[in-house]
């Protein structure tokens, strides 16, 4: 997938880092493999979006609604590499999800193109923009989920999830353990 908003080819060829060359992309692969009663699902992706791609002059014109980014949870000004592997055997499911990200946040009262609700008018410069500019944040997320299908009616599962998040800045890490019972009648699960 590829997104192109505003674009000026001569500025791209000159490699000036012009702020209004707004584009992003997603490259990935996913699939399923079945071996006997065991089923595997895999997914890998590389995502990137240049600064200011989803922002605009005002909040009314950006790629967001009700305080939420529409295109990607990180907004703009980021790159991400993620992988997912899921194993299913009869009533058991095991899922491993991980991602590494690099993104740039606003700093010193200027917009560096990551926050879609910040006007691109408040940028510091017109040229020299790159992914990760501003207050650079990089880190990773890791999630391991084990679930057991308790009943076929209602698709009821008992599960345990391990969430781990690490941010390089400040050596911040967080671990959270979640356990419970859930129905997968309608699964609108998001891993961000």
């Amino acid at each position: 997938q590829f997104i192109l908003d505003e674009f000026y080819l001569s500025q791209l060829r000159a490699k000036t880092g012009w702020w209004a060359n707004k584009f992003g992309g997603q490259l990935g692969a996913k699939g399923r493999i079945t071996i006997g009663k065991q089923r595997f699902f895999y997914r890998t992706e590389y995502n990137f979006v240049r600064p200011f791609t989803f922002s605009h002059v005002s909040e009314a014109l950006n790629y967001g609604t009700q305080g939420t980014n529409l295109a990607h949870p990180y907004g703009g000004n980021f790159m991400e590499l993620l992988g997912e592997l899921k194993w299913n055997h009869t009533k058991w499911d095991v899922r491993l999800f991980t991602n590494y990200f690099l993104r740039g946040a606003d700093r010193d009262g200027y917009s560096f193109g990551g926050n879609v609700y910040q006007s691109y008018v408040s940028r510091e410069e017109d040229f020299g923009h790159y992914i990760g500019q501003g207050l650079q944040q990089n880190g990773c997320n890791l999630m391991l989920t084990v679930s057991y299908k308790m009943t076929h009616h209602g698709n009821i599962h008992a599960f345990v999830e391990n969430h781990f998040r690490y941010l390089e800045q400040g050596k911040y890490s967080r671990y959270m353990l979640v356990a419970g019972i859930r129905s997968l009648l309608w699964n609108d699960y998001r891993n961000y």
Side-chain angles (χ1 to χ4, degrees):
Q1 295 182 18
F2 190 75
I3 180 174
L4 181 63
D5 192 356
E6 298 176 47
F7 189 77
Y8 199 26
L9 186 59
S10 65
Q11 293 293 338
L12 187 66
R13 285 183 177 158
K15 299 180 182 177
T16 62
W18 188 47
W19 74 274
N21 272 343
K22 301 177 184 180
F23 58 89
Q26 177 183 57
L27 178 65
K30 68 179 182 177
R32 298 185 195 293
I33 300 169
T34 302
I35 302 171
K37 291 185 177 183
Q38 300 185 64
R39 295 184 304 253
F40 296 91
F41 168 81
Y42 63 89
R43 174 176 66 138
T44 184
E45 291 179 8
Y46 172 70
N47 303 303
F48 72 95
V49 175
R50 281 206 17 100
F52 308 108
T53 298
F54 300 124
S55 60
H56 214 280
V57 172
S58 72
E59 287 185 19
L61 300 172
N62 70 1
Y63 288 82
T65 184
Q66 299 178 356
T68 303
N69 301 323
L70 288 176
H72 194 281
Y74 292 149
N77 192 15
F78 76 91
M79 60 81 48
E80 170 191 43
L81 183 62
L82 67 84
E84 179 180 11
L85 182 62
K86 185 176 178 182
W87 169 72
N88 175 269
H89 181 69
T90 59
K91 295 185 175 195
W92 289 95
D93 285 327
V94 177
R95 179 177 175 265
L96 176 65
F97 173 85
T98 185
N99 81 326
Y100 167 79
F101 62 89
L102 167 71
R103 64 182 178 183
D106 297 342
R107 101 183 123 99
D108 302 331
Y110 292 105
S111 173
F112 283 89
N115 183 355
V116 303
Y117 286 93
Q118 181 72 28
S119 172
Y120 58 53
V121 174
S122 63
R123 66 186 178 279
E124 191 175 33
E125 304 271 337
D126 286 343
F127 298 97
H129 295 281
Y130 58 92
I131 292 176
Q133 69 180 5
L135 181 60
Q136 196 173 84
Q137 301 172 337
N138 61 335
C140 66
N141 296 303
L142 180 67
M143 184 173 62
L144 177 64
T145 305
V146 177
S147 66
Y148 178 77
K149 189 174 191 177
M150 297 168 57
T151 67
H152 188 67
H153 274 304
N155 207 5
I156 307 293
H157 287 245
F159 70 94
V160 175
E161 286 183 353
N162 296 277
H163 298 258
F164 178 73
R165 180 177 186 126
Y166 177 75
L167 288 174
E168 180 67 33
Q169 293 65 29
K171 305 293 185 209
Y172 170 80
S173 63
R174 180 179 71 189
Y175 174 76
M176 182 172 57
L177 178 67
V178 179
I181 297 173
R182 66 179 160 210
S183 170
L184 299 177
L185 289 175
W186 178 60
N187 186 3
D188 189 24
Y189 183 77
R190 296 182 164 109
N191 54 21
Y192 47 84

